[in-house]
Amino acid sequence: MTDHLTLDELLEAVELVDAHLDSAVSPEYVAQPLAHRWARVTKVCEEAGEVWQALSKATGENPRKGVCGTEAELLGELGDTASAAICAIQHITKDTDTTWAVVSDALIKARTRVAAHAKEATHA
């Protein structure tokens, strides 16, 4: 991994990918926006399945196959899942500021839970 996007570049990329996916969708989806939304959201589920496969391969979960995957492949699939999720959010919001707010809110919520857990642990 040598190239990294700044936050502004990331949001530009999200907007570009979202616009491309909207413009390149089959005519059936154009006429059925709810189906298009379902397709974009369920892409996240598809990518999550690929994360599971990569984890299975990287850890040798299947004794018949043994370890046949790498951590780099696992990280790549996690990245694909995160990208699909952010693009699904953008598909719904059509606003990169709102998309980033949704992602930020989720991270803030996780951080708050961690802080609360740490506080409870120190008082226990």
Side-chain angles (χ1 to χ4, degrees):
M1 287 192 255
T2 57
D3 292 333
H4 302 288
L5 299 176
T6 65
L7 178 57
D8 287 341
E9 291 170 332
L10 180 143
L11 294 174
E12 287 173 13
V14 167
E15 200 168 40
L16 178 73
V17 170
D18 179 59
H20 169 74
L21 292 173
D22 283 350
S23 69
V25 72
S26 70
E28 290 84 4
Y29 280 105
V30 172
Q32 299 292 326
L34 182 58
H36 191 189
R37 180 180 280 204
W38 272 87
R40 295 286 290 276
V41 171
T42 58
K43 178 67 175 169
V44 180
C45 300
E46 176 192 338
E47 293 296 343
E50 292 176 14
V51 169
W52 175 84
Q53 288 178 322
L55 179 62
S56 174
K57 289 178 177 182
T59 60
E61 179 267 335
N62 183 338
R64 185 175 51 82
K65 294 182 180 180
V67 175
C68 58
T70 67
E71 187 173 275
E73 291 167 338
L74 173 59
L75 291 172
E77 293 300 342
L78 285 165
D80 289 349
T81 304
S83 175
I86 291 170
C87 287
I89 295 166
Q90 177 67 19
H91 177 73
I92 293 167
T93 69
K94 296 299 185 206
D95 177 78
T96 55
D97 288 339
T98 304
T99 294
W100 187 244
V102 170
V103 174
S104 294
D105 287 349
L107 289 168
I108 290 166
K109 180 172 58 175
R111 181 180 66 187
T112 301
R113 288 178 178 165
V114 167
H117 178 74
K119 187 176 181 179
E120 288 174 11
T122 59
H123 294 305

